[in-house]
PDB file of all heavy atoms in Angstrom:
ATOM      1  N   GLN Q 112      26.913  -7.869 -22.397  1.00 98.00           N
ATOM      2  CA  GLN Q 112      25.833  -8.443 -21.551  1.00 98.00           C
ATOM      3  C   GLN Q 112      25.488  -7.463 -20.431  1.00 98.00           C
ATOM      4  O   GLN Q 112      26.146  -6.536 -20.144  1.00 98.00           O
ATOM      5  CB  GLN Q 112      26.268  -9.787 -21.015  1.00 98.00           C
ATOM      6  CG  GLN Q 112      26.785 -10.763 -22.050  1.00 98.00           C
ATOM      7  CD  GLN Q 112      25.773 -11.008 -23.172  1.00 98.00           C
ATOM      8  OE1 GLN Q 112      24.592 -11.221 -22.930  1.00 98.00           O
ATOM      9  NE2 GLN Q 112      26.274 -11.007 -24.406  1.00 98.00           N
ATOM     10  N   THR Q 113      24.397  -7.763 -19.761  1.00 97.00           N
ATOM     11  CA  THR Q 113      23.893  -6.854 -18.714  1.00 97.00           C
ATOM     12  C   THR Q 113      23.435  -7.674 -17.506  1.00 97.00           C
ATOM     13  O   THR Q 113      22.963  -8.838 -17.612  1.00 97.00           O
ATOM     14  CB  THR Q 113      22.662  -6.012 -19.162  1.00 97.00           C
ATOM     15  OG1 THR Q 113      21.679  -6.930 -19.677  1.00 97.00           O
ATOM     16  CG2 THR Q 113      23.054  -5.018 -20.205  1.00 97.00           C
ATOM     17  N   ILE Q 114      23.548  -7.084 -16.319  1.00 97.00           N
ATOM     18  CA  ILE Q 114      23.013  -7.563 -15.037  1.00 97.00           C
ATOM     19  C   ILE Q 114      21.472  -7.183 -15.165  1.00 97.00           C
ATOM     20  O   ILE Q 114      21.192  -6.025 -15.517  1.00 97.00           O
ATOM     21  CB  ILE Q 114      23.666  -7.013 -13.871  1.00 97.00           C
ATOM     22  CG1 ILE Q 114      23.053  -7.574 -12.535  1.00 97.00           C
ATOM     23  CG2 ILE Q 114      23.678  -5.539 -13.759  1.00 97.00           C
ATOM     24  CD1 ILE Q 114      23.766  -7.173 -11.247  1.00 97.00           C
ATOM     25  N   SER Q 115      20.581  -8.095 -14.894  1.00 96.00           N
ATOM     26  CA  SER Q 115      19.146  -7.785 -15.027  1.00 96.00           C
ATOM     27  C   SER Q 115      18.693  -6.743 -14.059  1.00 96.00           C
ATOM     28  O   SER Q 115      19.308  -6.645 -12.951  1.00 96.00           O
ATOM     29  CB  SER Q 115      18.331  -9.062 -14.907  1.00 96.00           C
ATOM     30  OG  SER Q 115      18.804 -10.023 -15.696  1.00 96.00           O
ATOM     31  N   LYS Q 116      17.655  -6.046 -14.324  1.00 97.00           N
ATOM     32  CA  LYS Q 116      17.054  -5.052 -13.406  1.00 97.00           C
ATOM     33  C   LYS Q 116      16.598  -5.801 -12.159  1.00 97.00           C
ATOM     34  O   LYS Q 116      16.008  -6.920 -12.237  1.00 97.00           O
ATOM     35  CB  LYS Q 116      15.738  -4.536 -14.006  1.00 97.00           C
ATOM     36  CG  LYS Q 116      15.907  -3.446 -15.045  1.00 97.00           C
ATOM     37  CD  LYS Q 116      14.616  -3.314 -15.817  1.00 97.00           C
ATOM     38  CE  LYS Q 116      13.629  -2.465 -15.095  1.00 97.00           C
ATOM     39  NZ  LYS Q 116      12.872  -1.588 -16.008  1.00 97.00           N
ATOM     40  N   PRO Q 117      16.776  -5.193 -10.982  1.00 98.00           N
ATOM     41  CA  PRO Q 117      16.271  -5.858  -9.747  1.00 98.00           C
ATOM     42  C   PRO Q 117      14.845  -6.203  -9.759  1.00 98.00           C
ATOM     43  O   PRO Q 117      14.404  -7.270  -9.342  1.00 98.00           O
ATOM     44  CB  PRO Q 117      16.586  -4.779  -8.679  1.00 98.00           C
ATOM     45  CG  PRO Q 117      17.700  -3.966  -9.225  1.00 98.00           C
ATOM     46  CD  PRO Q 117      17.509  -3.938 -10.751  1.00 98.00           C
ATOM     47  N   GLY Q 118      14.011  -5.314 -10.414  1.00 98.00           N
ATOM     48  CA  GLY Q 118      12.587  -5.528 -10.439  1.00 98.00           C
ATOM     49  C   GLY Q 118      12.277  -6.847 -11.227  1.00 98.00           C
ATOM     50  O   GLY Q 118      11.369  -7.529 -10.926  1.00 98.00           O
ATOM     51  N   VAL Q 119      13.025  -7.039 -12.296  1.00 98.00           N
ATOM     52  CA  VAL Q 119      12.783  -8.248 -13.137  1.00 98.00           C
ATOM     53  C   VAL Q 119      13.283  -9.526 -12.368  1.00 98.00           C
ATOM     54  O   VAL Q 119      12.646 -10.587 -12.441  1.00 98.00           O
ATOM     55  CB  VAL Q 119      13.464  -8.093 -14.478  1.00 98.00           C
ATOM     56  CG1 VAL Q 119      13.414  -9.375 -15.308  1.00 98.00           C
ATOM     57  CG2 VAL Q 119      12.759  -7.010 -15.239  1.00 98.00           C
ATOM     58  N   VAL Q 120      14.440  -9.398 -11.726  1.00 98.00           N
ATOM     59  CA  VAL Q 120      14.967 -10.541 -10.939  1.00 98.00           C
ATOM     60  C   VAL Q 120      13.939 -10.961  -9.921  1.00 98.00           C
ATOM     61  O   VAL Q 120      13.587 -12.124  -9.772  1.00 98.00           O
ATOM     62  CB  VAL Q 120      16.286 -10.163 -10.291  1.00 98.00           C
ATOM     63  CG1 VAL Q 120      16.761 -11.249  -9.340  1.00 98.00           C
ATOM     64  CG2 VAL Q 120      17.414  -9.929 -11.309  1.00 98.00           C
ATOM     65  N   ALA Q 121      13.412  -9.939  -9.165  1.00 98.00           N
ATOM     66  CA  ALA Q 121      12.468 -10.249  -8.112  1.00 98.00           C
ATOM     67  C   ALA Q 121      11.172 -10.834  -8.711  1.00 98.00           C
ATOM     68  O   ALA Q 121      10.644 -11.833  -8.204  1.00 98.00           O
ATOM     69  CB  ALA Q 121      12.123  -8.973  -7.317  1.00 98.00           C
ATOM     70  N   ARG Q 122      10.690 -10.207  -9.762  1.00 98.00           N
ATOM     71  CA  ARG Q 122       9.486 -10.690 -10.391  1.00 98.00           C
ATOM     72  C   ARG Q 122       9.643 -12.171 -10.863  1.00 98.00           C
ATOM     73  O   ARG Q 122       8.732 -12.988 -10.600  1.00 98.00           O
ATOM     74  CB  ARG Q 122       9.156  -9.780 -11.624  1.00 98.00           C
ATOM     75  CG  ARG Q 122       8.100 -10.290 -12.589  1.00 98.00           C
ATOM     76  CD  ARG Q 122       6.708 -10.142 -12.048  1.00 98.00           C
ATOM     77  NE  ARG Q 122       5.739 -10.322 -13.074  1.00 98.00           N
ATOM     78  CZ  ARG Q 122       4.622 -11.029 -12.894  1.00 98.00           C
ATOM     79  NH1 ARG Q 122       4.284 -11.433 -11.690  1.00 98.00           N
ATOM     80  NH2 ARG Q 122       3.742 -11.138 -13.846  1.00 98.00           N
ATOM     81  N   MET Q 123      10.738 -12.475 -11.502  1.00 98.00           N
ATOM     82  CA  MET Q 123      10.886 -13.788 -12.032  1.00 98.00           C
ATOM     83  C   MET Q 123      11.031 -14.874 -10.960  1.00 98.00           C
ATOM     84  O   MET Q 123      10.500 -15.946 -11.022  1.00 98.00           O
ATOM     85  CB  MET Q 123      12.065 -13.892 -13.000  1.00 98.00           C
ATOM     86  CG  MET Q 123      11.750 -13.124 -14.378  1.00 98.00           C
ATOM     87  SD  MET Q 123      13.199 -13.088 -15.494  1.00 98.00           S
ATOM     88  CE  MET Q 123      13.130 -14.781 -16.145  1.00 98.00           C
ATOM     89  N   ILE Q 124      11.826 -14.468  -9.916  1.00 98.00           N
ATOM     90  CA  ILE Q 124      11.967 -15.430  -8.798  1.00 98.00           C
ATOM     91  C   ILE Q 124      10.636 -15.593  -8.004  1.00 98.00           C
ATOM     92  O   ILE Q 124      10.342 -16.669  -7.539  1.00 98.00           O
ATOM     93  CB  ILE Q 124      13.158 -15.050  -7.894  1.00 98.00           C
ATOM     94  CG1 ILE Q 124      14.448 -15.009  -8.739  1.00 98.00           C
ATOM     95  CG2 ILE Q 124      13.289 -16.063  -6.778  1.00 98.00           C
ATOM     96  CD1 ILE Q 124      15.731 -14.594  -7.952  1.00 98.00           C
ATOM     97  N   GLU Q 125       9.898 -14.537  -7.870  1.00 98.00           N
ATOM     98  CA  GLU Q 125       8.612 -14.683  -7.285  1.00 98.00           C
ATOM     99  C   GLU Q 125       7.682 -15.630  -8.061  1.00 98.00           C
ATOM    100  O   GLU Q 125       7.024 -16.499  -7.452  1.00 98.00           O
ATOM    101  CB  GLU Q 125       7.948 -13.273  -7.119  1.00 98.00           C
ATOM    102  CG  GLU Q 125       6.642 -13.325  -6.317  1.00 98.00           C
ATOM    103  CD  GLU Q 125       6.182 -11.933  -5.918  1.00 98.00           C
ATOM    104  OE1 GLU Q 125       5.997 -11.071  -6.861  1.00 98.00           O
ATOM    105  OE2 GLU Q 125       5.858 -11.691  -4.780  1.00 98.00           O
ATOM    106  N   LEU Q 126       7.725 -15.473  -9.353  1.00 98.00           N
ATOM    107  CA  LEU Q 126       6.967 -16.414 -10.205  1.00 98.00           C
ATOM    108  C   LEU Q 126       7.415 -17.852 -10.040  1.00 98.00           C
ATOM    109  O   LEU Q 126       6.688 -18.760  -9.941  1.00 98.00           O
ATOM    110  CB  LEU Q 126       7.077 -15.990 -11.642  1.00 98.00           C
ATOM    111  CG  LEU Q 126       6.254 -14.761 -12.145  1.00 98.00           C
ATOM    112  CD1 LEU Q 126       6.721 -14.315 -13.544  1.00 98.00           C
ATOM    113  CD2 LEU Q 126       4.771 -15.092 -12.152  1.00 98.00           C
ATOM    114  N   LEU Q 127       8.768 -18.021  -9.970  1.00 98.00           N
ATOM    115  CA  LEU Q 127       9.353 -19.304  -9.857  1.00 98.00           C
ATOM    116  C   LEU Q 127       8.886 -19.993  -8.563  1.00 98.00           C
ATOM    117  O   LEU Q 127       8.605 -21.184  -8.520  1.00 98.00           O
ATOM    118  CB  LEU Q 127      10.838 -19.092  -9.828  1.00 98.00           C
ATOM    119  CG  LEU Q 127      11.813 -20.116 -10.514  1.00 98.00           C
ATOM    120  CD1 LEU Q 127      11.389 -20.345 -11.979  1.00 98.00           C
ATOM    121  CD2 LEU Q 127      13.212 -19.589 -10.496  1.00 98.00           C
ATOM    122  N   ARG Q 128       8.873 -19.193  -7.468  1.00 98.00           N
ATOM    123  CA  ARG Q 128       8.530 -19.771  -6.170  1.00 98.00           C
ATOM    124  C   ARG Q 128       7.038 -20.018  -6.075  1.00 98.00           C
ATOM    125  O   ARG Q 128       6.625 -20.920  -5.314  1.00 98.00           O
ATOM    126  CB  ARG Q 128       8.994 -18.794  -5.035  1.00 98.00           C
ATOM    127  CG  ARG Q 128      10.480 -18.922  -4.766  1.00 98.00           C
ATOM    128  CD  ARG Q 128      10.871 -17.908  -3.703  1.00 98.00           C
ATOM    129  NE  ARG Q 128       9.939 -17.665  -2.616  1.00 98.00           N
ATOM    130  CZ  ARG Q 128       9.780 -18.450  -1.535  1.00 98.00           C
ATOM    131  NH1 ARG Q 128      10.512 -19.543  -1.369  1.00 98.00           N
ATOM    132  NH2 ARG Q 128       8.835 -18.227  -0.583  1.00 98.00           N
ATOM    133  N   ASN Q 129       6.259 -19.193  -6.804  1.00 97.00           N
ATOM    134  CA  ASN Q 129       4.853 -19.511  -6.865  1.00 97.00           C
ATOM    135  C   ASN Q 129       4.221 -19.643  -5.449  1.00 97.00           C
ATOM    136  O   ASN Q 129       3.449 -20.565  -5.254  1.00 97.00           O
ATOM    137  CB  ASN Q 129       4.617 -20.700  -7.695  1.00 97.00           C
ATOM    138  CG  ASN Q 129       3.163 -20.823  -8.208  1.00 97.00           C
ATOM    139  OD1 ASN Q 129       2.428 -19.814  -8.188  1.00 97.00           O
ATOM    140  ND2 ASN Q 129       2.792 -21.980  -8.617  1.00 97.00           N
ATOM    141  N   GLY Q 130       4.674 -18.806  -4.508  1.00 95.00           N
ATOM    142  CA  GLY Q 130       4.081 -18.818  -3.171  1.00 95.00           C
ATOM    143  C   GLY Q 130       4.548 -19.973  -2.314  1.00 95.00           C
ATOM    144  O   GLY Q 130       3.985 -20.228  -1.220  1.00 95.00           O
ATOM    145  N   ALA Q 131       5.605 -20.684  -2.711  1.00 94.00           N
ATOM    146  CA  ALA Q 131       6.118 -21.790  -1.887  1.00 94.00           C
ATOM    147  C   ALA Q 131       6.477 -21.295  -0.448  1.00 94.00           C
ATOM    148  O   ALA Q 131       6.924 -20.198  -0.287  1.00 94.00           O
ATOM    149  CB  ALA Q 131       7.359 -22.376  -2.562  1.00 94.00           C
TER     150      ALA Q 131
END
Side-chain angles (χ1 to χ4, degrees):
Q112 308 303 316
T113 53
I114 180 173
S115 309
K116 281 162 84 141
V119 171
V120 171
R122 166 78 168 140
M123 289 177 79
I124 299 179
E125 185 169 53
L126 283 168
L127 217 54
R128 282 177 38 81
N129 197 17

